[in-house]
């Protein structure tokens, strides 16, 4: 059996690698849209509480369990859980920590290709977007969203060449190993990302009101739309009206809305929603907690693998705090100040309402940059920044699979890279083929990139606090720490964190799977993620996507069952003696 002697080149290297895995597309696309949608200040309060209750403590638990497993010779989630729990079933639970990052990689690398393609086409002057419809049409053509396999052409305006380029680049980096590939890329990519973000941020904050004819469409109101703690809504009370309430931002816009209310003969009313009323919305807490998961890479199975390559006396407390802080800076201070203010300045509040994630990034922002002075440069800089955020995340998604195959089959890095490369080539090809409505991508993201993340994070928390034991866990966590984790976090990890996670998971299942309306607490129709899998509305890409997840589950479980290393781990033995 080959012995894995890989290690990080420096403590800074592992911090940059973990921060790089956390800093991704969600920092600049998903977070700003959610913050604006759920009340800005109110969302940030729920976000901060979620960070303290689940983000930081669960991250620390992963760091501690990973380093402990590494000291026993195990670098995979299956090996870590097996040596900690010392039960035969533990290695199968660890398989989830392999499936999550591998499945996410299958579609994440596709979006990564979009980012690089958009950056090139902006900088080369190929991207001409006359209006909102033209932006959507270009997006549909580039991604192939209109029909299956529509983007599989060798054209600069299609996904295929960019996908091939970034896919090969990812595996070239992962083949070079921890310090030679992942660490070097993150040491270069993360600082460059921050520099580009600062350049774009300065340009955005100096935009003012680009269109003199629409003075309230400005950066200041964009910041207000995102960060104001209270929401002012203009509501049409006409019986049978299907108009959604319109948010009003800025003193001039409020004055105009008040005049419209006064002349509407009671048809229009203005309502102010306080932060405390917004915090009573379960969907807000669900969105905030979910963003913490995705933002910090908690429950992905990545941190536990990265930490396993650390030395026994390396400081996991400070490393975890530093990596989390770097991520929060990129998310709140950069992502929160770039995306939404720029979009509001050019398109107004109504133009971006309800937009987040892919919709905000590829259907709204390209038009913003197209209208901006020197937009080709700043648009290219923004999308290249997104590419750097994506590449530092996607390479981290491959390492858990590499470590698992090495331990399960007793092979070296070259063989493990070839095997994982073959599996992910098939899986990514599947996502690239079934592009109509991005159904395959969306289904994999929901079940593999959300549902299983909740499961894994909850399981890890219960293992740390109840199976491994809070005393043993904290002793391992504080070993080599410059400052110990405050005792306050003991009951948080043992009691509060599991209760919070289980509550959020239950709410998520009710809303996103069963279609329950959390605002009225009334049942609704089943989610499309259920109806896509069975019944009259079933769709083949969704069914095949679920079949792909099951295939990985069976394959990795069989590999785990046959592993000599995992049998030693479940007996409490070191991998090498």
């Amino acid at each position: 059996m080959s012995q894995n002697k890989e290690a990080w080149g420096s403590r800074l290297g592992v911090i940059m690698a973990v921060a790089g895995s956390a800093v991704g597309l969600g920092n600049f696309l998903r977070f700003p849209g959610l913050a604006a949608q759920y009340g800005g200040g109110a969302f940030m309060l729920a976000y901060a509480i979620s960070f303290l209750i689940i983000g930081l403590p669960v991250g620390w638990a992963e760091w501690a369990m990973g380093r402990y497993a590494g000291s026993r010779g195990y670098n995979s989630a299956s090996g870590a859980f097996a040596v900690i729990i010392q039960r035969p079933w533990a290695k199968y639970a660890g398989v989830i920590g392999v499936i999550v990052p591998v499945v996410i990689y299958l579609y994440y690398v596709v979006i990564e290709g979009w980012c690089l393609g958009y950056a090139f086409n902006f900088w080369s002057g190929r991207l001409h977007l006359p209006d909102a419809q033209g932006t959507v049409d270009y997006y549909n053509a580039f991604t192939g969203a209109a029909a299956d396999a529509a983007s599989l052409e060798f054209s600069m305006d299609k996904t295929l060449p960019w996908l091939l380029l970034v896919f090969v680049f990812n595996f070239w980096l992962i083949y070079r190993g921890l310090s030679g590939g992942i660490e070097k890329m993150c040491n270069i990519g993360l600082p460059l990302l921050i520099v580009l973000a600062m350049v774009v941020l300065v340009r955005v904050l100096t935009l003012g009101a680009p269109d003199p004819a629409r003075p309230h469409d400005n950066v200041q109101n964009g910041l207000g739309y995102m960060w104001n703690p209270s929401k002012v809504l203009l509501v049409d009370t006409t019986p049978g009206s299907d108009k959604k309430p319109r948010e009003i931002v800025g003193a001039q816009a409020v004055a105009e809305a008040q005049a419209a209310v006064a002349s509407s003969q009671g048809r229009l009313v203005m309502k102010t929603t306080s932060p405390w009323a917004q915090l009573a919305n379960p969907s807000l807490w669900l969105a905030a907690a979910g963003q913490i998961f995705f933002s910090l890479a908690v429950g992905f199975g990545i941190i536990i693998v990265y930490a396993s390559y650390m030395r026994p006396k390396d400081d996991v407390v400070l490393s975890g705090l530093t990596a989390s802080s770097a991520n929060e800076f990129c998310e709140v201070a950069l992502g929160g100040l770039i995306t939404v203010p720029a979009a509001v300045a050019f398109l107004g509040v109504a133009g971006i309402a309800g937009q987040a994630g892919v919709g905000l990034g590829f259907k709204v922002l390209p038009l913003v940059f197209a209208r901006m002075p020197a937009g080709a440069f700043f648009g290219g800089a923004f999308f290249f920044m997104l590419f750097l955020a994506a590449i530092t995340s996607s390479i981290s998604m491959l390492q858990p699979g590499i470590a698992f195959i090495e331990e399960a089959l007793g092979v070296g890095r070259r063989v493990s890279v070839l095997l994982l490369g073959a599996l992910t080539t098939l899986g990514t090809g599947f996502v690239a083929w079934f592009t109509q409505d991005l159904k395959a991508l969306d289904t994999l993201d929901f079940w593999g990139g959300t549902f299983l993340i909740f499961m894994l994070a909850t399981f890890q928390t219960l293992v740390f606090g109840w199976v491994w034991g809070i005393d043993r866990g904290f002793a391992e966590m504080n070993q080599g720490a410059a400052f110990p984790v405050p005792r306050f976090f003991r009951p948080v990890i043992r009691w509060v964190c599991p209760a919070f996670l289980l509550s959020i998971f239950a709410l998520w299942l009710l809303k996103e799977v069963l279609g329950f309306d959390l605002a009225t607490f009334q049942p609704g129709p089943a989610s499309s993620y259920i109806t896509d899998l069975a019944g009259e509305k079933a769709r083949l890409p969704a069914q095949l996507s679920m079949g792909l997840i099951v295939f990985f589950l069976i394959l990795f479980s069989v590999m785990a069952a046959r592993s000599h290393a995992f049998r030693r781990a479940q007996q409490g033995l070191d991998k090498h003696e």
Side-chain angles (χ1 to χ4, degrees), residues 435-480:
T435 54
Q436 185 172 9
D437 301 327
L438 303 181
K439 181 55 65 176
L441 186 156
D442 189 40
T443 303
L444 291 174
D445 179 52
F446 183 84
W447 293 108
T450 306
F451 177 77
L452 289 181
I453 287 177
F454 274 116
M455 287 186 60
L456 184 59
T458 305
F459 176 77
Q460 288 177 159
T461 306
L462 293 172
V463 167
F464 184 88
W466 292 90
V467 179
W468 205 23
I470 205 72
D471 292 332
R472 188 178 180 184
F474 265 71
E476 174 66 31
M477 190 186 298
N478 290 326
Q479 181 177 326

Side-chain angles (χ1 to χ4, degrees), residues 242-267:
D242 58 354
K243 292 183 179 179
K244 294 182 178 180
R246 180 165 62 90
E247 186 169 344
I248 308 299
V249 182
Q252 184 177 350
V254 169
E256 292 177 0
Q258 289 173 337
V261 169
S263 62
S264 69
Q265 299 180 342
R267 183 176 58 85

Side-chain angles (χ1 to χ4, degrees), residues 4 99 146 155 219 236 303 362 401:
N4 193 329
I99 293 175
S155 166
V219 171
D236 188 338
I303 295 175
F362 294 93

Side-chain angles (χ1 to χ4, degrees), residues 276-293:
W276 311 113
Q278 295 171 62
L279 287 171
N281 179 7
S283 295
L284 180 148
W285 289 93
L286 184 60
Q291 180 59 24
I292 287 294
F293 275 114

Side-chain angles (χ1 to χ4, degrees), residues 118 121 127 129 134-143 156-157:
Y118 268 67
N121 288 330
L127 203 54
L129 304 172
T135 306
V136 173
D137 290 343
Y138 183 85
Y139 165 80
N140 288 336
F142 191 95
T143 63
M156 297 296 103
D157 297 309

Side-chain angles (χ1 to χ4, degrees), residues 27-28 32 193-195 197-198 201 328-339 385:
N27 295 75
F28 299 95
L193 179 156
I194 293 174
V195 169
M198 294 296 292
L201 175 61
E328 293 308 305
F329 170 76
C330 289
E331 181 154 287
V332 178
L334 297 179
L337 296 178
I338 292 175
T339 312
M385 176 196 72

Side-chain angles (χ1 to χ4, degrees), residues 146-170:
D148 288 337
S151 66
L152 297 183
E153 300 177 16
F154 278 95
S155 166
M156 297 296 103
D157 297 309
K158 299 287 185 178
T159 298
L160 182 59
W162 306 109
L163 173 58
L164 292 175
L165 183 61
V166 299
F167 191 94
V168 171
F169 187 47
N170 270 275

